[in-house]
Amino acid sequence: MRPEPGYLSLPPSPLEPLSDAHLERAGVELWVKRDDLLAPAPGDPFCGNKCRKLKYNLAAAREQGYERLLSFGGAYSNHIAALAAAGRRYGFETIGLIRGEAVDNPVLARARHDGMYLHFIDRATYRRKAEPALLARWQEEMGPAYILPEGGSNDAALAGCAEIVGEVEKQLGRPADYLAVACGTGGTLAGLLRAAQRASRLLGVSVLKGHFMRGAVTDLLSDSAVAAEWEVWEDAHHGGYARSSPELERFIAAFERQHGLPLEPIYSGKLFYALYQRLQANYFRPGTRIVAIHTGGVYNRPRGAS
Ligand SMILES: *Cc1c(COP(=O)(O)O)cnc(C)c1O
């Protein structure tokens, strides 16, 4: 029998308890689902929730006979870097259509290093990127490709993220009272919602400013049945996508010192900040069991830096 390709055979991520004075005072259990440790090799940008989201997309691309993957993102997109790394590792050509003027930064440099062909498109065209005529033109220019939407959030991505729920139930011995996750496009939250039981409540922390996340998640769910109640917190963006605040920076530094758990300011930092704010405001009843999904994003940080 041939071995399964690496993207299908990553082991379940660990589930680890946290403890500190805030949790003790509130009488709340907080567990971390360490998806930040998911990666075929340390330091690989194919990591975190991008392993979950790309898993069945890579399988579908291979099954459908594609040799090329094409997707979209901003200049700091973890999805783009992950796709490039996955392509290199598993033998696909990759094309990244990047929003805005041509720039260079460590994320894009890494994608290029992993063999991705980067093509910059102006913002007006980028907004129309799902139009069939544009997709056809790009494939004419760059070759037939398996196309993933921005952030990789499609049905196959949701199926990969849904697997987190079963892993957590097995590791915890029962469903969590709350499953909490940071939301960029909302694909990971939508995947969790597909599998979550009625016994759990889902919390999405939007890392973007605005009031569209609930709608975006609902759209991604399309017609799937959802058993769990869910809410989106829109007050934890710290100014918007990739923006930060002194409070957030201080929180992350203190959290890392106390727990030895790496966070970054774009996703996981905002998630834990929001959870601890609610915790201190007695939002959670004593005895509540929360599982926070650490979606990763810390691959490109020098070791030992905080
Ligand atoms: C991409 C990413 C997210 C956002 O996931 P969505 O499915 O788009 O909501 C969250 N955390 C990290 C670390 C990411 O890289």
Side-chain angles (χ1 to χ4, degrees):
M1 218 172 81
R2 277 196 319 169
E4 284 199 339
Y7 49 83
L8 286 177
S9 56
L10 286 172
S13 65
L15 182 71
E16 296 173 353
L18 289 184
S19 71
D20 61 39
H22 295 298
L23 292 165
E24 219 161 278
R25 202 174 304 125
V28 165
E29 277 183 39
L30 178 56
W31 298 74
V32 186
K33 181 65 171 159
R34 298 291 308 272
D35 271 18
D36 59 308
L37 299 177
L38 283 180
D44 196 309
F46 178 59
C47 65
N49 70 338
K50 303 305 181 277
C51 291
R52 305 272 189 192
K53 297 181 76 171
L54 290 176
K55 176 178 179 179
Y56 293 116
N57 277 299
L58 295 170
R62 181 144 292 161
E63 222 174 85
Q64 293 164 30
Y66 285 102
E67 291 166 3
R68 198 173 289 109
L69 311 170
L70 182 153
S71 194
F72 307 88
Y76 287 91
S77 165
N78 286 342
H79 162 66
I80 287 294
L83 191 73
R88 176 183 167 131
R89 185 173 285 275
Y90 302 115
F92 294 98
E93 277 181 37
T94 53
I95 299 167
L97 299 188
I98 310 301
R99 181 183 60 230
E101 310 249 303
V103 290
D104 203 9
N105 65 44
V107 176
L108 295 180
R110 177 66 202 237
R112 208 179 265 124
H113 165 85
D114 282 330
M116 181 175 264
Y117 172 68
L118 296 175
H119 182 74
F120 293 86
I121 50 184
D122 66 83
R123 282 161 196 275
T125 311
Y126 191 88
R127 272 193 292 276
R128 296 169 38 222
K129 62 188 173 304
E131 289 178 13
L134 268 179
L135 290 173
R137 200 188 84 202
W138 282 323
Q139 292 195 83
E140 234 162 73
E141 286 170 16
M142 295 180 265
Y146 180 89
I147 297 173
L148 295 99
E150 187 174 48
S153 291
N154 57 12
D155 247 43
L158 266 57
C161 295
E163 293 180 343
I164 298 171
V165 175
E167 281 180 27
V168 166
E169 279 178 25
K170 220 173 182 176
Q171 289 166 319
L172 210 55
R174 59 159 156 151
D177 297 318
Y178 286 91
L179 284 170
V181 71
C183 297
T185 62
T188 307
L189 175 59
L192 294 172
L193 278 164
R194 277 220 176 140
Q197 300 192 33
R198 236 184 115 78
S200 300
R201 189 175 180 89
L202 268 67
L203 302 175
V205 173
S206 179
V207 305
L208 290 90
K209 194 170 170 171
H211 304 293
F212 54 84
M213 192 57 73
R214 199 174 170 97
V217 172
T218 305
D219 288 348
L220 286 169
L221 282 166
S222 55
D223 293 330
S224 8
V226 171
E229 304 275 336
W230 59 289
E231 57 195 276
V232 174
W233 294 350
E234 295 178 332
D235 61 351
H237 54 74
H238 297 263
Y241 182 74
R243 300 284 175 84
S244 188
S245 67
E247 303 81 66
L248 179 61
E249 300 293 334
R250 269 198 301 277
F251 172 84
I252 289 174
F255 185 93
E256 289 186 335
R257 223 178 303 119
Q258 173 147 35
H259 297 290
L261 183 70
L263 300 179
E264 40 70 53
I266 303 180
Y267 294 104
S268 55
K270 290 181 182 178
L271 168 66
F272 282 93
Y273 183 98
L275 284 174
Y276 273 75
Q277 272 210 322
R278 297 295 207 285
L279 198 68
Q280 287 166 62
N282 300 316
Y283 181 87
F284 300 106
R285 248 185 256 135
T288 301
R289 213 174 258 199
I290 306 167
V291 172
I293 319 295
H294 191 327
T295 44
V298 278
Y299 70 90
N300 53 1
R301 203 173 48 168
R303 246 172 225 292
S306 63

